[in-house]
Amino acid sequence: DGTSLDDLIMRDSNEVSLRVMTDEELYKLEMEKIFAKTWLLLGHESEIPETGDFIVRDMAEDNVIVARGPDGDVHVSLNVCPHRGMRVCLGEAGNKRVHQCIYHGWAFRPNGDFIGAPVEREKMHGNDVDKKTLGLKKARVHLYGGLIFATWDVDGPSFDEFLGDSKYYMDQLFCRTDSGLELLGPPQRFVLPCNWKVPGEQSGSDGFHTLTLHRSLMEGGVMGGTAESIYDQAPGMYGVDISCKQGHSLRCLEAEKTFKMFADVPFEGKSTRERLELLTPPGITKEMIPELFKNLSEDQVNQLATIPPQVGGLFPNVLIAFIFAPRTDGGSSGALTLHTYMPKGPDRVEFTNYIFAEKDAPEQMKRDMLQNSIWNTGTSGVIEQDDADVWPVIMKNARGAVSKGVTLKYKALHGHERPEGWVGEGLLYPGFTKDDTQWNWWLAYYDLMDAV
Ligand code: FES
């Protein structure tokens, strides 16, 4: 309708038009320029350990089969039969060496290759058709700490290029032990009546909203853990926000200032190992601490022990929550959770909650982490119920003839500033109530939408 991207994302004034949440033409462009281009999280390889194991997931509105082939590799194929467009796999998960379409019976391998069709031997296609051209469309796949990422952009940026400077920090969460992570049960899912960008931009490390929207949870002590482990809200809760031009971000909070327990149990002057034993990062037992030093650099372990990454996101639609709940007895009931916000139309988003623990963690610790995540950040968790109250109301507002003229303000910008002695790259911002990381999320959005 003549509206340009610059009319919606106002880079001169650091504002975003509320119209971006409802505009149908914009949504169609997002599907092509973002969700058909960038790396998307689809699950974890622990969901499909055996040959033939598969899960069915979505890359935005494109349904895909994620399968383990006889070669041991994970393959992602479009779940659309090239014969007449039927969905080839109708289940959600299982084990199959052959996926056969129910319409006319075309059959495919776990890697998407065409095997044959009924009466193929009688030369259904004659000799004119090259079978190699009849397979399912294949996505490019990358496993990161066992997390399955895929993109349709086979010649685009590598996964490491996509992570950029964030890799140093993300490794502290996903690539830190010998056994790696495992998914604790199938992911939880629910659909919310809102545009994917409403939760998407919040995943750009919006720490500010926790002070108000989630305050009652902190004050009431219902966020899990013991009274000693409850977050001490402002002014004590501050740290460093990390971001990068790819739009990813992580909020890192100083452990000593975040958890009241360290007022009684001194943190100062302790070695990295001693700090880790006190902090008990979720999923890491005392016995596993040497593995951190083996898999990460000393600087990365030191950060994990002093100012660990806790909440953030991977552009465009992943939220990361690494919830600490240290106790003075050395125990922990924290969680490591990822959400994806998958678009299902301009005004619908599917929220998926993935709950993780280290594969080698004791069973009791896994149960505690599962419980913590379900209780806090699960689909009916106390934190997400707060968010799920707000997001659809923003959408209702975005439809009003006058309301949609409102602009979202990202004017609390500090500008990046490297704390003294900080190791690790990226754009660094002090504190956690500013708009810098979320504004970077919109700039990454702009760059992809503006690309030819
Ligand atoms: Fe799949 Fe015809 S649509 S075999």
Side-chain angles (χ1 to χ4, degrees), residues 229-249:
S229 70
I230 296 165
Y231 283 95
D232 184 6
Q233 292 293 284
M237 189 172 167
Y238 48 81
V240 176
D241 272 347
I242 298 165
S243 186
C244 62
K245 67 180 170 59
Q246 290 85 348
H248 318 312
S249 61

Side-chain angles (χ1 to χ4, degrees), residues 161-386:
E161 288 170 319
F162 163 77
L163 271 191
D165 289 336
S166 292
K167 187 174 185 315
Y168 177 88
Y169 308 99
M170 299 294 173
D171 283 354
Q172 295 174 36
L173 304 182
F174 304 116
C175 305
R176 56 197 182 175
T177 59
D178 296 350
S179 65
L181 298 171
E182 77 172 4
L183 192 67
L184 302 179
Q188 301 179 302
R189 296 183 295 176
F190 75 128
V191 174
L192 274 169
C194 73
N195 184 272
W196 70 274
K197 296 189 292 303
V198 177
E201 70 98 49
Q202 191 201 79
S203 73
S205 292
D206 178 0
F208 189 34
H209 81 286
T210 61
L211 293 178
T212 306
L213 185 64
H214 303 310
R215 187 173 189 96
S216 61
L217 302 178
M218 319 287 178
E219 289 176 341
V222 294
M223 268 191 66
T226 63
E228 291 77 26
S229 70
I230 296 165
Y231 283 95
D232 184 6
Q233 292 293 284
M237 189 172 167
Y238 48 81
V240 176
D241 272 347
I242 298 165
S243 186
C244 62
K245 67 180 170 59
Q246 290 85 348
H248 318 312
S249 61
L250 279 169
R251 190 160 78 243
C252 303
L253 301 178
E254 291 159 63
E256 194 174 5
K257 289 175 179 164
T258 306
F259 302 107
K260 286 176 177 174
M261 63 180 280
F262 295 127
D264 302 322
V265 184
F267 207 59
E268 211 32 59
K270 293 212 160 24
S271 69
T272 299
R273 188 190 171 105
E274 289 168 331
R275 285 170 181 233
L276 283 168
E277 287 180 3
L278 277 172
L279 190 57
T280 56
I284 307 292
T285 61
K286 276 185 188 172
E287 295 70 32
M288 290 159 80
I289 290 175
E291 293 181 25
L292 300 179
F293 288 94
K294 191 172 138 197
N295 291 286
L296 301 171
S297 72
E298 201 173 328
D299 291 323
Q300 285 173 305
V301 182
N302 191 43
Q303 187 192 337
L304 195 56
T306 49
I307 180 165
Q310 293 187 35
V311 183
L314 285 170
F315 184 89
N317 68 334
V318 177
L319 176 125
I320 302 162
F322 187 42
I323 296 178
F324 283 69
R327 300 197 304 255
T328 47
D329 65 2
S332 172
S333 58
L336 176 56
T337 297
L338 297 180
H339 298 164
T340 56
Y341 305 122
M342 216 49 102
K344 296 287 156 202
D347 55 2
R348 274 160 55 93
V349 67
E350 185 174 64
F351 175 124
T352 304
N353 184 43
Y354 295 96
I355 305 171
F356 295 94
E358 305 295 328
K359 206 172 185 175
D360 281 350
E363 288 306 312
Q364 185 58 48
M365 184 179 257
K366 289 181 187 176
R367 277 196 292 276
D368 287 347
M369 292 176 72
L370 182 65
Q371 192 176 39
N372 182 299
S373 180
I374 290 171
W375 174 256
N376 286 310
T377 54
T379 49
S380 58
V382 289
I383 297 175
E384 298 314 335
Q385 286 184 50
D386 286 344

Side-chain angles (χ1 to χ4, degrees), residues 427-446:
L427 305 170
L428 306 165
Y429 305 92
F432 77 105
T433 59
K434 300 290 185 185
D435 289 331
D436 295 277
T437 52
Q438 285 180 277
W439 183 241
N440 288 344
W441 189 95
W442 282 111
L443 293 179
Y445 172 90
Y446 183 99

Side-chain angles (χ1 to χ4, degrees), residues 78-153:
L78 190 65
N79 193 10
V80 176
C81 183
H83 182 227
R84 295 287 190 274
M86 177 57 184
R87 197 164 273 197
V88 172
C89 182
L90 295 173
E92 291 206 350
N95 183 288
K96 278 186 181 176
R97 298 291 180 116
V98 177
H99 292 273
Q100 186 170 23
C101 180
I102 64 162
Y103 198 178
H104 309 87
W106 280 28
F108 304 89
R109 298 187 202 288
N111 70 359
D113 284 351
F114 177 76
I115 300 171
V119 298
E120 182 70 22
R121 260 179 266 153
E122 289 80 11
K123 300 191 187 309
M124 174 202 170
H125 291 111
N127 292 320
D128 303 333
V129 179
D130 178 1
K131 283 193 188 182
K132 287 195 185 75
T133 65
L134 301 180
L136 304 179
K137 182 176 173 63
K138 298 179 187 187
R140 183 178 168 198
V141 179
H142 184 89
L143 298 186
Y144 172 63
L147 297 167
I148 303 167
F149 285 86
T151 177
W152 297 115
D153 192 1

